Every structure is written in structure tokens, then in C-alpha cells.
């Protein structure tokens, strides 16, 4: 899609802009074609302006955070892609508020958030240890583990709505479900207030986190690019078990492989394309359905043109 010059210029006044930028640099799968226009807003006011410009020009708009739950098509993403993740030029703020809650910009990494909270002697955020990406992506995905998820600790979020207005939303658990936070179509999270509890023993929290990270290193194929668990667990089942029992461990399509270490991970084993990964996803879904009559639903988000 060709984006008119005057629009690129207007966007360039409120953000860093890269044309036809390959998204494989911004996804943990290390795959994905170009964004017509990749923009990096410098602040939330700029973000509002970008959303308004996209709406006025009827241009497709996609938000990406750390790209750790994304499979972007090899032919890329049309329209404007907004990247909301900290990098060497912009860090997300994380601050302790007077009421004892913690405010985190959506671009802050989960890793820094966990470190900040541990240093203050809090607990309740241990589930976040080892989950890549940013706070915003974690909120939208209601990311978590069996130890907890974002919905358990969120008080409220600041956001930019689809009209470019800056607003806020209180969060209650009824808005969340398994790997999903229902905040409203097109809502872009800019920050969140998070409530944690005081740890009875702060050094214990730190050692628990070390254990969690050690466990992940043992159980997850972290030497290869991936996007974590590919499929949600169907009620009463574990996806990894179904995939394993269907004989798919190690199965390859092109450069994509079902991890031998954790069968709910598809790894980019050898120069995989997004299409290889998507085709392997389809193969797994068909095979598991043939064996068990269960349809596996993807946890990862597939966007763009394959
Ligand atoms: C090795 C590995 C282990 C993982 N382990 C876990 C795990 O234990 N538990 C778990 O839940 N996940 C896990 N994941 C998946 C992933 O890390 C999480 O879903 C993570 O929270 C995604 O954050 P992100 O910033 O990378 O979001 P992205 O992947 O960039 O985006 C995910 C979704 O959120 C949207 N989004 C991103 N930022 C914003 C924003 N600011 N406002 C609105 N929408 C936004 C995107 O449009 C997209 O739909 C793992 C991934 C990897 C690679």
C-alpha cells in the first residue's frame, strides 16, 4: 500500500518513521515482512496524533510491543504499524506512587518491572518473570502462568482510544479471560497502575524468581527464536501433551520445527519463514483434530499478509 507523502510528512512531525521496514527485526520469531510505515511515537500526545491521522486517512493501524507473541506474514503489514516498546532511544517510566501502587508506562519491559518491584520488597509479580515483551503487550494478552496473570494485579490503565482520545479504564476481573483482556476495540494501552502486596520475606521473592527463570531455561527452547506457547490449552487438556501424543514432536515444515523440549513451542530452527510456521500450525491443528477431535486455538497472534 502506498501511503501519501503528505501523510508520511505529518507522521514524521510526531514520531520517528521508517518506510518499508522489515518487521523480522522486531519479532522474537525473527520472521515477518515489511511494514508500509513503522512509527515510534516519542510520547503519548504523539501517539494520539498518529491514531487521528490514521483514522482521518482511513489507513490500517497495527500496534506491536516486544513482538514476542506475534507471527507477522512474510509479505508484511499494510498501513501504519506503531511500535510501543522501549529501546535505546526511549525507556518506559516505572514509578512508585504515594498510595503504594506502581505506575508503569506500557513500553516498559516486564523484566525491568519485575526488578523494580523486587527491589521495593513487593510480591505478586513473580508470574511475569521470564515472560518477554512489554507491559502493554502483557496487559492486552493478559499474559501469565499458573502462578497468576496481569488481571490479578491491574488497578487501571491509561489508553488512547480508536478516535485518538486519551482516556482511562478501571480494570476488573470480569474484563479478562484466558490470555485476553477486553479493554475495547482499538484501545492502545499507554500505561497502567499495578497493585502488589508487601512481601513477608523479600529475599525469598528474589530466590523464587531465580527458580522460575532456571525452570524456564530447563523447560523452554530458549536457544531458538520462538513466540512461546503457540496454542491455548483447551479446557481440561494440555496442548503440549496432545501434540506430543499425536506424534508431532520434532516435526518440521521448512525451517520451522515442533520443539523437542516443549511441544507447544514451534521454533525457528533453520531460517524459517512465517509461512513455514503458519503451515506447521495448520498441520498440528489438523493432526490433533484427527487424533482427539479437539480443535487447538492459537495463543499467538497472526497478522499481515502471508
Ligand atoms: C520464550 C517465550 C516465553 C513466553 N512465555 C509466556 C508465558 O509464560 N506466558 C504468557 O502469557 N506469554 C508468554 N509468552 C508470549 C508473550 O511473551 C506474551 O504474550 C507477552 O506478554 C507479549 O508482549 P509483547 O510486548 O511482546 O506483545 P506483542 O507480541 O508485541 O503483541 C501482542 C498483542 O498485544 C497487542 N499490543 C502490544 N502492545 C500493545 C499496547 N501497548 N496497546 C494495545 N495493544 C498492544 C498487539 O497488537 C498484539 O495483538 C512467551 C513468549 C516467548 C518468546
Amino acid at each position: 500500500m502506498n501511503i501519501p507523502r503528505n501523510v508520511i510528512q505529518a507522521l514524521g512531525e510526531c514520531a520517528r518513521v521508517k518506510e518499508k521496514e522489515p518487521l523480522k527485526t522486531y519479532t522474537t520469531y525473527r520472521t515477518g515482512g515489511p511494514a508500509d510505515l513503522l512509527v515510534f511515537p516519542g510520547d503519548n500526545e504523539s501517539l494520539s496524533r498518529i491514531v487521528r491521522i490514521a483514522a482521518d486517512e482511513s489507513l490500517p493501524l497495527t500496534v506491536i510491543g516486544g513482538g514476542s507473541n506475534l507471527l507477522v506474514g512474510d509479505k508484511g503489514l499494510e498501513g501504519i504499524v506503531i511500535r510501543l516498546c522501549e529501546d535505546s532511544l526511549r525507556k518506559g517510566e516505572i514509578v512508585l506512587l504515594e498510595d503504594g501502587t506502581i505506575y508503569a508506562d506500557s513500553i516498559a519491559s516486564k523484566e525491568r518491572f519485575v526488578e523494580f518491584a523486587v527491589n521495593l520488597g513487593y510480591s505478586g509479580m513473580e508470574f511475569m518473570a521470564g515472560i518477554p515483551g512489554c507491559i502493554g503487550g502483557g496487559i492486552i494478552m493478559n499474559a501469565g502462568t499458573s502462578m497468576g496473570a496481569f488481571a490479578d494485579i491491574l488497578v487501571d490503565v491509561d489508553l488512547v482510544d480508536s478516535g485518538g482520545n486519551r482516556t482511562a479504564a478501571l480494570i476488573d476481573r470480569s474484563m479478562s479471560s484466558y490470555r485476553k483482556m477486553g479493554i475495547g476495540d482499538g484501545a492502545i494501552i499507554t500505561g497502567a497502575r499495578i497493585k502488589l502486596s508487601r512481601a513477608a520475606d523479600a529475599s525469598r521473592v528474589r530466590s523464587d524468581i531465580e527458580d522460575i527463570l532456571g525452570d524456564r531455561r530447563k523447560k523452554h527452547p530458549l536457544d531458538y527464536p520462538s513466540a512461546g506457547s503457540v496454542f491455548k490449552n483447551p479446557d481440561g487438556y494440555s496442548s503440549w501433551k496432545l501434540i506430543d501424543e499425536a506424534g508431532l514432536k520434532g516435526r518440521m515444515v521448512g525451517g520451522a520445527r515442533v520443539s523437542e523440549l516443549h511441544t507447544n513451542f514451534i521454533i525457528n530452527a533453520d531460517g524459517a519463514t512465517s509461512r513455514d510456521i503458519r503451515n506447521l500450525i495448520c498441520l498440528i491443528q489438523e493432526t490433533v483434530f484427527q487424533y482427539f477431535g479437539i480443535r487447538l486455538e492459537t495463543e499467538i497472534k497472526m497478522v499481515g499478509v502471508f
Side-chain angles (χ1 to χ4, degrees):
M1 165 184 277
N2 278 330
I3 299 184
R5 271 287 126 204
N6 63 319
V7 174
I8 297 177
Q9 245 165 17
L11 290 165
E13 283 162 21
C14 47
R16 274 187 295 140
V17 169
K18 292 187 177 186
E19 289 180 60
K20 302 289 176 205
E21 176 73 356
L23 289 171
K24 64 180 179 196
T25 317
Y26 305 92
T27 61
T28 53
Y29 256 134
R30 299 286 169 248
T31 63
D36 285 330
L37 210 61
L38 182 63
V39 298
F40 305 78
D43 54 35
N44 295 335
E45 206 35 59
S46 310
L47 176 63
S48 297
R49 283 174 63 195
I50 295 163
V51 173
R52 278 197 205 107
I53 292 171
D56 290 348
E57 301 292 330
S58 305
L59 289 168
L61 189 69
T62 310
V63 178
I64 63 169
S68 64
N69 204 52
L70 283 178
L71 184 62
V72 177
D74 301 307
K75 297 196 176 112
L77 260 174
E78 288 202 327
I80 299 170
V81 178
I82 302 178
R83 185 164 198 253
L84 289 179
C85 184
E86 58 190 8
D87 56 25
S88 56
L89 295 177
R90 191 182 165 210
K91 284 273 168 283
E93 210 180 3
I94 307 173
V95 286
L96 178 65
L97 303 178
E98 272 179 14
D99 63 1
T101 57
I102 300 176
Y103 189 86
D105 281 341
S106 68
I107 66 169
S109 74
K110 298 179 187 74
E111 189 183 3
R112 273 205 316 114
F113 181 86
V114 170
E115 189 56 26
F116 182 91
V118 178
N119 286 339
L120 288 178
Y122 280 105
S123 77
M125 67 299 166
E126 292 90 327
F127 73 85
M128 244 189 260
I131 305 183
C134 309
I135 293 292
I139 293 171
I140 288 294
M141 292 304 306
N142 190 22
T145 64
S146 56
M147 296 181 68
F150 270 83
D152 302 333
I153 57 170
L154 282 174
V155 180
D156 48 33
V157 294
D158 288 330
L159 56 96
V160 170
D161 69 18
S162 51
N165 308 299
R166 289 174 65 183
T167 162
L170 277 174
I171 302 295
D172 74 68
R173 288 210 188 166
S174 66
M175 296 159 86
S176 69
S177 52
Y178 180 39
R179 300 295 165 264
K180 191 170 185 257
M181 184 71 74
I183 291 182
D185 277 353
I188 301 177
I189 310 292
T190 58
R193 209 151 54 90
I194 290 172
K195 189 168 169 51
L196 301 171
S197 46
R198 283 262 159 222
D201 178 354
S203 64
R204 177 71 194 269
V205 174
R206 191 172 286 283
S207 75
D208 285 350
I209 286 173
E210 285 309 318
D211 289 349
I212 292 166
L213 294 175
D215 205 44
R216 279 179 175 269
R217 279 192 292 273
K218 260 191 258 156
K219 293 182 177 157
H220 293 173
L222 300 182
D223 290 340
Y224 291 92
S226 81
S229 293
V230 173
F231 300 102
K232 295 180 181 175
N233 289 321
D235 272 348
Y237 297 91
S238 295
S239 289
W240 72 265
K241 236 180 189 171
L242 296 170
I243 297 167
D244 197 359
E245 285 168 11
L248 291 163
K249 188 185 270 193
R251 176 66 70 89
M252 285 191 84
V253 170
R257 184 164 72 212
V258 176
S259 165
E260 270 121 351
L261 197 57
H262 190 314
T263 44
N264 198 16
F265 276 55
I266 293 178
I267 55 173
N268 181 348
D270 188 11
T273 60
S274 289
R275 187 181 264 265
D276 292 339
I277 296 166
R278 197 197 57 175
N279 288 346
L280 185 50
I281 288 172
C282 293
L283 176 78
I284 293 169
Q285 285 172 321
E286 281 160 21
T287 313
V288 166
F289 188 73
Q290 275 168 12
Y291 268 73
F292 306 107
I294 295 170
R295 285 205 186 280
L296 291 181
E297 196 189 324
T298 54
E299 179 173 323
I300 62 171
K301 304 277 180 195
M302 292 189 250
V303 291
V305 184
F306 286 77

